[in-house]
Amino acid sequence: MTRSLLIKVTAGAEDAERCNQAFTVAAAAAASGVEVGLWLTGEASWFGLPGRAEGFSVPLATPLADLRDTILAAGRITVCTQCADRRGITAEQLLPGVRIAGAAVFVEEALGDGVQAIVY
């Protein structure tokens, strides 16, 4: 059985280190060949839009845009439906490869065979 990793990040720029850590773990897993799904919720939802990750930085950390691109190349990024709606984010605004989906999809993915879910 192949294992996969599902990560939900609940913080954005307001808690930069926690946000960056979630992206770092997701990118490391993706680069290692692990199937990865990264869910952006709360203020992290903004990082599904073009240019947002490019304006974010944490000292001594890999740029968030690089981490995001690594994840997108090998995995999937999802923006929470309610979080997107609260921020006026539409599917048309998202980066290519980023989708919007709701809690039922997260639960289905989290309960899949061989899935390890982590929340930051």
Side-chain angles (χ1 to χ4, degrees):
M1 169 175 58
T2 303
R3 296 200 58 191
S4 62
L5 185 60
L6 184 65
I7 298 174
K8 179 186 272 192
V9 56
T10 62
E14 81 286 359
D15 192 347
E17 285 188 278
R18 182 164 42 127
C19 178
N20 189 268
Q21 186 64 26
F23 274 81
T24 298
V25 170
S32 298
V34 175
E35 181 182 328
V36 175
L38 178 66
W39 280 68
L40 307 177
T41 67
E43 289 299 298
S45 301
W46 293 113
F47 296 123
L49 297 171
R52 293 297 182 119
E54 289 76 3
F56 176 91
S57 67
V58 174
L60 306 175
T62 302
L64 200 70
D66 293 349
L67 297 171
R68 177 206 60 213
D69 293 346
T70 298
I71 299 161
L72 280 174
R76 178 177 47 246
I77 296 179
T78 305
V79 175
C80 161
T81 301
Q82 288 183 7
C83 300
D85 287 348
R86 280 191 282 275
R87 290 160 181 79
I89 298 171
T90 65
E92 296 76 30
Q93 295 172 300
L94 296 175
L95 290 160
V98 177
R99 68 177 178 164
I100 293 176
V105 175
F106 178 81
V107 170
E108 180 182 348
E109 290 179 3
L111 295 176
D113 288 338
V115 176
Q116 174 66 55
I118 301 172
V119 178
Y120 281 88

